[in-house]
């Protein structure tokens, strides 16, 4: 490691900023350069699909403050990496040399528009959120393509603005993320709020130029004042071409956030854990924080202070907050720990052999610490039961 | 050091209380209490309080001085 040449972090993201903070916390006093394409610098993204879509007032103060970290900022996109000369090239023509490099460029929205078809709306950045909010304020009807977390959060914002909204997907809402039990209940929740879920059996095409509707697999077309694509994300890796670091799934890392190239690390939405280390990409805020923390420790040659996966995430769908701790998706019916699911106020637990339990707060506001402690208690109960049954 | 808390934006994740448990606490309903409201954060809590500000996923906490 040539730390005397400094640490370069590409991506002013929560993963990148967490790593910078952890480097300083661990006493690293060398140079830390952050290369980022966002003109405003780093800001909190979770509120973009919630508060920011509700009204302009809540977009103030989203910026993450980091004056205490003594960072050098390069506010231009990284466009190329040369691992031999250890240099990152930026869009504005700078070459930045590194001793250690952290790839934290996150992901871009997956788009459905044809090349040159204009007006597709997606939601990843503050600029995207501002544009969608302005359009929601003008719209009377909306179509959301994709019934994942993001699609349902945008649909919720449409309902809050009195916009008639339809959600289109090939699968029931959140099925892939949360499993069938929760998916069915969310579908009911959406129906009760007058949000139709249009389940289709094939690819949806955007129509109009600019985009003004969707063509469905059955040959029909639906038009709306506002069409938003919420069809997942793709890791931001084009700047890594030719390095062998990235494939279509992103940048492969091990449990220490090391890539296949010495002194090059990756964290957050851009990264996925190699098969032996979890074998998946989990683009959620809490994983980005965990991986940023782990990457900083690895850069300094320390052992990882935590696992590179932190299974905590949350959403809010039409006033129904959901918080989950543990592996997802889950299968089958959960045990009811507290409350009443039909009243939208419950704590649920799923258990499956060989993995940690999953605990969900369904419609109940609860601190993550309590949820984690419930998951741990569930785990202990399981172990106690397992050891009793072995003794029999 | 003072911290401005945007209670309307707070979603009750409680990560701040994990970082700085004597500055922030959450009750059973995940309602946040900030124990230095209108006052300076005690000097021996500043580092933890700063980590708490950084940990908020919805940027509801802000260092103002």
């Amino acid at each position: 490691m040539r730390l005397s040449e400094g640490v370069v972090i590409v991506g002013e993201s929560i993963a990148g900023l967490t790593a910078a903070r952890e480097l300083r916390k661990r006493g690293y006093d060398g140079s830390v350069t952050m290369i980022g394409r966002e003109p405003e610098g780093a800001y909190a993204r979770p509120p973009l699909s919630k508060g920011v879509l509700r009204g302009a007032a809540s977009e103030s103060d989203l910026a993450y403050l980091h004056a205490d970290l003594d960072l050098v900022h390069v506010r231009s996109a990284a466009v190329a990496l040369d691992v031999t000369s250890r240099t990152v090239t930026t869009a504005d023509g700078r070459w930045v040399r590194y001793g250690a490099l952290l790839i934290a460029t996150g992901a871009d929205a997956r788009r459905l528009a044809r090349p040159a078809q204009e007006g597709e709306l997606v939601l990843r950045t503050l600029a995207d959120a501002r544009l969608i909010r302005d359009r929601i304020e003008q719209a009377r009807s909306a179509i959301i393509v994709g019934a994942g977390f993001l699609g349902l959060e945008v649909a919720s914002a449409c309902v809050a603005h009195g916009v008639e909204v339809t959600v289109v997907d090939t699968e029931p809402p959140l099925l892939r993320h949360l499993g069938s039990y929760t998916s069915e209940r969310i579908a009911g929740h959406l129906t009760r709020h007058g949000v139709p879920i249009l389940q289709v059996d094939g690819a949806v095409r955007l129509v109009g130029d600019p985009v003004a509707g969707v063509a469905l697999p059955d040959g029909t077309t639906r038009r709306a004042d506002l069409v938003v694509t919420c069809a997942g994300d793709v890791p931001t890796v084009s700047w890594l071409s030719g390095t062998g670091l990235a494939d279509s799934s992103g940048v492969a890392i091990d449990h220490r956030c090391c890539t296949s190239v010495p002194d090059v690390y990756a964290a957050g939405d851009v990264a996925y854990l190699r098969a032996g280390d979890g074998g998946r990409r989990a683009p959620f805020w809490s994983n980005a924080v965990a991986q940023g923390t782990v990457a900083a420790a690895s850069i300094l040659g320390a052992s990882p202070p935590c696992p590179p996966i932190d299974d905590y995430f949350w959403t809010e769908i039409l006033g129904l907050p959901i918080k989950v701790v543990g592996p997802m998706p889950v299968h089958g019916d959960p045990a009811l720990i507290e409350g009443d699911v039909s009243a939208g106020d419950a704590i649920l637990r799923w258990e499956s052999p060989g993995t940690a339990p999953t605990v969900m707060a369904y419609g109940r506001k609860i601190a993550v610490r309590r949820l984690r402690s419930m998951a741990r208690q569930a785990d202990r109960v399981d172990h106690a039961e397992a050891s009793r049954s072995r003794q029999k | 050091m003072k911290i401005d808390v945007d209670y309307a934006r707070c979603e009750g994740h409680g990560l701040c209380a994990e970082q700085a448990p004597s500055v922030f606490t959450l009750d059973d309903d995940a309602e946040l209490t900030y124990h230095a409201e209108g006052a300076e954060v005690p000097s021996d809590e500043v580092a933890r309080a700063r980590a708490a500000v950084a940990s908020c996923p919805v940027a509801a906490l802000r260092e103002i001085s």
Side-chain angles (χ1 to χ4, degrees), chain A residues 14 21 44 46-47 50 57-65 68 285 312 314 323 365-370 372, chain B residues 4 9-15 17-19 21 26-31 50-51 54-59 62-63:
Chain A
I14 184 64
R21 192 164 288 284
K50 305 177 184 81
S58 59
E59 94 174 45
S60 61
D61 299 339
L62 287 181
Y64 285 126
L65 300 185
D68 55 321
W285 186 89
Y312 169 54
W314 70 93
K323 292 178 178 172
K365 213 176 157 202
I366 186 172
V368 62
R369 175 193 285 262
R370 281 196 69 214
R372 286 193 213 277
Chain B
D4 180 46
R9 191 183 278 171
C10 173
E11 296 179 354
H13 297 283
L15 302 178
E18 294 184 4
Q19 296 290 337
L26 276 83
D27 66 14
D28 283 354
D29 296 322
E31 291 302 327
R50 206 164 263 156
S55 77
C56 179
V58 293
R62 178 151 296 259
E63 187 176 340

Side-chain angles (χ1 to χ4, degrees), chain A residues 187-348:
Chain A
H189 180 64
L190 290 161
T191 305
R192 281 192 293 281
H193 281 79
V195 177
I197 300 284
L198 190 59
Q199 200 176 326
V200 294
D201 59 4
V204 168
R205 224 163 25 82
L206 300 180
V207 297
D209 193 3
V211 172
V214 291
L216 304 176
D218 66 3
T220 60
T221 296
R222 296 214 178 191
R223 293 184 181 276
D225 300 333
L226 172 69
V227 179
V228 185
T229 304
C230 301
D233 58 348
V234 286
T236 305
V237 295
S238 60
W239 66 286
L240 298 171
S241 72
T243 63
L245 279 161
D247 56 39
S248 60
S249 305
V251 178
I253 56 172
D254 66 12
H255 70 287
R256 296 185 304 135
C257 293
C258 299
T259 67
S260 54
V261 174
D263 298 336
V264 178
Y265 305 80
D269 288 5
V270 75
Y272 72 93
L273 285 160
R274 287 200 192 97
D277 292 295
R280 60 183 174 130
R281 178 170 167 267
F284 294 110
W285 186 89
S286 44
N287 285 326
V289 171
Q291 289 170 13
T293 306
V294 168
S298 297
I299 286 169
L300 299 177
S303 51
C306 60
I309 282 281
D310 177 7
D311 279 316
Y312 169 54
F313 64 77
W314 70 93
T315 185
E316 186 173 328
I317 301 160
L318 294 161
L320 183 86
I322 294 178
K323 292 178 178 172
V324 189
V325 168
M328 279 281 163
V330 285
H331 304 286
D333 288 353
L336 179 68
I337 307 302
E338 285 176 31
D340 179 354
V341 176
S342 59
D345 174 28
I347 305 287
L348 303 168

Side-chain angles (χ1 to χ4, degrees), chain A residues 32-315:
Chain A
V32 178
T33 303
M34 288 201 87
I35 300 176
R37 64 182 176 184
E38 292 283 338
E40 298 97 338
Y43 52 84
R45 289 175 194 257
L48 295 183
S49 52
K50 305 177 184 81
V52 175
L53 292 186
R54 298 283 165 83
S58 59
E59 94 174 45
S60 61
D61 299 339
L62 287 181
Y64 285 126
L65 300 185
H66 42 67
D68 55 321
L69 300 181
D70 189 22
L71 306 176
V72 176
H73 288 282
V74 177
R75 295 255 157 85
S76 177
V79 292
L81 168 65
D82 184 333
V83 296
T84 310
S85 66
R86 294 168 167 256
T87 306
V88 178
T89 309
T90 60
D92 63 358
R94 279 183 265 192
W95 287 276
V96 183
R97 274 180 69 80
Y98 62 84
L101 176 71
L102 176 61
I103 298 169
T105 39
D108 291 297
R110 193 162 78 83
R111 290 174 178 273
L112 302 176
R114 301 185 308 274
Q117 184 179 19
E118 306 238 329
E120 178 175 31
L121 295 173
V122 296
L123 178 45
R124 286 297 297 185
T125 66
L126 183 53
D128 294 337
R130 285 180 181 138
L131 182 58
I132 292 174
R133 184 189 62 221
D134 291 348
R135 292 282 304 274
I136 286 178
E137 285 168 358
Q138 312 289 323
R140 294 175 60 188
S141 62
I143 295 170
I144 310 300
V145 183
F149 292 110
L150 185 63
L152 298 184
E153 287 172 6
V154 177
S156 300
C158 289
V159 171
H161 285 271
V163 178
E164 203 175 291
V165 59
T166 299
V167 182
V168 184
D169 201 320
T170 54
E171 286 186 359
L174 297 177
L175 180 66
R176 264 177 303 129
H177 310 82
L178 297 182
S180 58
Y181 178 88
T182 311
S183 176
E184 284 163 25
R185 271 134 200 98
I186 295 295
H189 180 64
L190 290 161
T191 305
R192 281 192 293 281
H193 281 79
V195 177
I197 300 284
L198 190 59
Q199 200 176 326
V200 294
D201 59 4
V204 168
R205 224 163 25 82
L206 300 180
V207 297
D209 193 3
V211 172
V214 291
L216 304 176
D218 66 3
T220 60
T221 296
R222 296 214 178 191
R223 293 184 181 276
D225 300 333
L226 172 69
V227 179
V228 185
T229 304
C230 301
D233 58 348
V234 286
T236 305
V237 295
S238 60
W239 66 286
L240 298 171
S241 72
T243 63
L245 279 161
D247 56 39
S248 60
S249 305
V251 178
I253 56 172
D254 66 12
H255 70 287
R256 296 185 304 135
C257 293
C258 299
T259 67
S260 54
V261 174
D263 298 336
V264 178
Y265 305 80
D269 288 5
V270 75
Y272 72 93
L273 285 160
R274 287 200 192 97
D277 292 295
R280 60 183 174 130
R281 178 170 167 267
F284 294 110
W285 186 89
S286 44
N287 285 326
V289 171
Q291 289 170 13
T293 306
V294 168
S298 297
I299 286 169
L300 299 177
S303 51
C306 60
I309 282 281
D310 177 7
D311 279 316
Y312 169 54
F313 64 77
W314 70 93
T315 185

